[in-house]
Amino acid sequence: EIACMMFKSNFCIPLLLAGAVSAFTPGHLSPGMSLARFSRGQRFSGLTSSRMAVSRKDSYDVTLLPGDGIGPEIIKAAVVACKAVAAKQGFTINFKEALIGGAALDAHNDPLPDVTLKQMKASDSVLLAAIGGPKWDKNPRELRPETGLLRMRKALGLFANLRPATVLPQLIDASTLKPEVVAGVDIMVVRELTGDVYFGEPKGITTKDGERFGFNNMCYKESEVRRIAKVAFDIASKRGNKVCSVDKANVLDVSQLWRDVVIEEHAKYPKVELSHMYVDNAAMQLIRNPKQFDVIVTGNIFGDILSDEASMLVGSLGMLPSASVGDRSGPGVFEPCHGSAPDIAGQDKANPLATILSAAMMFRYDLDRPEAAEALERAVNKVLDDGLRTADLARENTIGCRQMGEEVAKRV
């Protein structure tokens, strides 16, 4: 039932490995295809019919987690855009902020205070900006911002992280790869979020044979693999009917269990094509030929790395949203893929579009408001069509974070 592998190092390095990823060839975006047209279609709607945390209603309670660094700036811009779409479509959103990460450590000496978790559980959904920064990097592990994030995912049962990476025609030159390599790229990375080496026990740093000894356990239950495989196959069945499961089954027992369970679950989806790829090859193939992938399903640590790699196909982490979801019993958490960027915090240089697109995913997956999601996505597309760019996307004639949020709101 449980496969574990202990990783041992003479240094304090938690060695990683566990997961699975499935590759396949997606359909291509035509040069004129907009983000909204793509996102609202079948290819992006994988969980729409089954995921809703709440039924459609006239008023929603949403917890805002600004976090650290650029977090407060980008979440303010997203709120402006969300209020614009809500006003136009005749519903209201009651936003209430709470502390997480470094900001919570400074105020409560806890990266996830009980009051924050209680508020999130009582909300219809959660919009998170970013956490972390060098100020807290030397704290003990239990007092680091990232620990609050992991605890939140576990407490809310958020086992599936969905990270779409779609290259838009307007931004094709922003990628560091050749246009012919990235044109038409459309990938959904489905990452398991509450298992693997990040949560495996025992773990720690001790002394052995007169030197420091660090260890982490890579663990998965069969049920954990089965439920994330189901999510991936469900999404693929609404897209191109292809899944690539990424693992390291040639070396790791836990990856062999992953592969076996994915194959078993695949039997329930005869129309979906399943392939397997070792994680080192997958990392190379994402750069060599990214268009071969559609849905990638993998474990927590492999997904953490591969989804960030996939994000750079688009040209900037500032464009990539994500959704962390579980069952119907509680809210999902929606956040941009990028970090807190403390080096530009408070300078109005951040790109809020990934946060705004994360809010669109919130409307679609948690709040049963797909038309609001489409409106935000169309507005982002119009902003890009009009040539507006933040500093991460262009070197000249750029606009700031606050203005970008306002420009999206104007185009809702």
Side-chain angles (χ1 to χ4, degrees):
E1 288 290 315
I2 302 178
C4 296
M5 179 168 289
M6 182 175 290
F7 289 88
K8 302 175 181 179
S9 170
N10 291 331
F11 304 95
C12 308
I13 302 173
L15 293 179
L16 28 106
L17 292 164
V21 185
S22 304
F24 81 23
T25 306
H28 293 178
L29 285 172
S30 64
M33 181 175 283
S34 71
L35 175 68
R37 177 183 163 196
F38 162 73
S39 296
R40 72 172 178 262
Q42 280 193 332
R43 293 178 57 77
F44 197 75
S45 62
L47 297 182
T48 305
S49 63
S50 61
R51 163 53 217 152
M52 306 305 170
V54 296
S55 299
R56 185 185 185 94
K57 54 185 181 179
D58 295 329
S59 180
Y60 301 91
D61 295 321
V62 172
T63 290
L64 298 177
L65 301 175
D68 311 315
I70 60 172
E73 301 167 64
I74 58 178
I75 213 159
K76 285 179 182 177
V79 167
V80 170
C82 287
K83 286 184 176 179
V85 74
K88 184 166 184 179
Q89 297 190 3
F91 63 93
T92 60
I93 308 173
N94 305 309
F95 290 111
K96 186 178 180 181
E97 292 190 4
L99 298 176
I100 193 172
L105 283 166
D106 289 347
H108 300 285
N109 200 36
D110 186 342
L112 182 65
D114 290 341
V115 64
T116 295
L117 185 57
K118 182 178 180 181
Q119 181 180 317
M120 284 192 288
K121 289 182 175 180
S123 299
D124 294 318
S125 194
V126 178
L127 188 62
L128 168 66
I131 64 162
K135 177 180 180 180
W136 307 281
D137 283 350
K138 294 183 179 180
N139 284 10
R141 180 73 59 192
E142 68 274 12
L143 294 179
R144 292 186 187 178
E146 296 79 10
T147 299
L149 197 63
L150 295 178
R151 283 170 47 198
M152 176 195 71
R153 291 169 179 168
K154 201 72 171 180
L156 296 179
L158 306 175
F159 67 85
N161 180 237
L162 313 180
R163 287 193 174 189
T166 305
V167 175
L168 303 178
Q170 305 98 316
L171 298 179
I172 196 166
D173 291 331
S175 175
T176 54
L177 298 182
K178 295 178 181 179
E180 59 267 29
V181 174
V182 297
V185 164
D186 161 23
I187 300 171
M188 175 70 84
V189 178
V190 179
R191 168 190 171 193
E192 200 286 324
L193 209 55
T194 57
D196 209 337
V197 72
Y198 291 167
F199 292 94
E201 297 283 356
K203 60 183 178 180
I205 300 171
T206 186
T207 300
K208 183 177 181 180
D209 299 327
E211 60 183 345
R212 285 177 295 173
F213 176 79
F215 56 98
N216 288 85
N217 268 321
M218 178 174 283
C219 302
Y220 267 118
K221 295 179 182 179
E222 176 183 352
S223 58
E224 292 172 326
V225 180
R226 198 173 299 282
R227 68 184 180 182
I228 196 67
K230 182 180 186 305
V231 169
F233 288 129
D234 283 344
I235 290 176
S237 67
K238 303 297 190 299
R239 291 168 57 99
N241 278 317
K242 292 185 178 180
V243 171
C244 178
S245 178
V246 177
D247 57 42
K248 193 64 175 172
N250 58 334
V251 176
L252 301 175
D253 292 339
V254 65
S255 275
Q256 187 61 58
L257 173 68
W258 177 285
R259 182 173 291 205
D260 292 345
V261 175
V262 169
I263 291 172
E264 292 168 7
E265 192 65 21
H266 175 241
K268 303 174 185 177
Y269 298 85
K271 294 183 179 180
V272 178
E273 178 183 330
L274 172 64
S275 62
H276 303 275
M277 193 175 290
Y278 296 141
V279 64
D280 44 355
N281 186 32
M284 183 268 288
Q285 294 292 338
L286 272 172
I287 300 302
R288 178 180 176 273
N289 181 21
K291 283 181 281 194
Q292 69 181 283
F293 295 100
D294 180 30
V295 174
I296 293 175
V297 62
T298 190
N300 204 343
I301 194 164
F302 292 164
D304 194 357
I305 297 165
L306 292 178
S307 59
D308 274 8
E309 182 185 3
S311 73
M312 291 315 298
L313 301 172
V314 178
S316 172
L317 276 168
M319 289 301 301
L320 291 180
S322 78
S324 298
V325 298
D327 56 28
R328 300 186 188 189
S329 63
V333 175
F334 301 82
E335 60 182 301
C337 291
H338 59 72
S340 62
D343 56 318
I344 61 170
Q347 300 176 42
D348 197 38
K349 292 182 178 180
N351 183 349
L353 294 181
T355 311
I356 293 171
L357 292 172
S358 296
M361 295 183 79
M362 175 183 73
F363 284 127
R364 176 175 286 112
Y365 289 141
D366 253 8
L367 305 184
D368 198 14
R369 287 280 177 176
E371 70 282 357
E374 293 165 18
L376 280 183
E377 291 158 352
R378 282 195 301 268
V380 169
N381 197 69
K382 290 176 184 176
V383 161
L384 297 175
D385 279 343
D386 292 341
L388 299 178
R389 303 286 188 271
T390 45
D392 60 313
L393 299 174
R395 296 182 180 179
E396 299 177 351
N397 302 318
T398 61
I399 64 174
C401 178
R402 179 184 55 79
Q403 184 181 348
M404 182 60 86
E406 293 171 350
E407 295 295 340
V408 172
K410 289 177 185 177
R411 291 162 175 76
V412 165

